[in-house]
Amino acid sequence: MALKDELSKLSGSAFDHVYIDAMVNGHREVLTEVRTEAKSGSDTDVKTWAGKASSVVQAHLTHAEKQQSELGKHATH
């Protein structure tokens, strides 16, 4: 809710920066959790799902980091 409230007060470049930073941080946190579950989870089905999901989360993180990098480049011009 705090992020939603913060974003609702922003627009333009300020919105873009806060949003992409949140997306990158969120995907990093999820990737850590999914990898941990895939490696040492106790439920076989969840462990299998986490192993498959980690590549998807990694792809999303990579895309978000690329967008973050591009946004940073545009902000310095």
Side-chain angles (χ1 to χ4, degrees):
M1 287 303 273
L3 177 61
K4 179 184 173 271
D5 290 342
E6 182 178 4
L7 289 170
S8 71
K9 297 172 187 169
L10 301 173
S11 63
S13 180
F15 176 93
D16 294 345
H17 284 277
V18 172
Y19 179 82
I20 199 63
D21 288 348
M23 292 301 101
V24 168
N25 292 335
H27 280 82
R28 285 180 180 156
E29 290 173 12
V30 169
L31 185 58
T32 298
E33 294 295 323
V34 169
R35 285 181 173 166
T36 299
E37 188 63 34
K39 190 181 265 189
S40 57
S42 58
D43 184 296
T44 305
D45 291 335
V46 175
K47 197 172 178 178
T48 300
W49 173 85
K52 293 175 183 176
S54 65
S55 62
V56 174
V57 175
Q58 178 63 63
H60 287 205
L61 173 58
T62 299
H63 180 73
E65 288 172 332
K66 181 180 177 193
Q67 296 301 312
Q68 186 181 47
S69 176
E70 289 298 316
L71 186 62
K73 288 178 188 174
H74 293 175
T76 61
H77 289 103

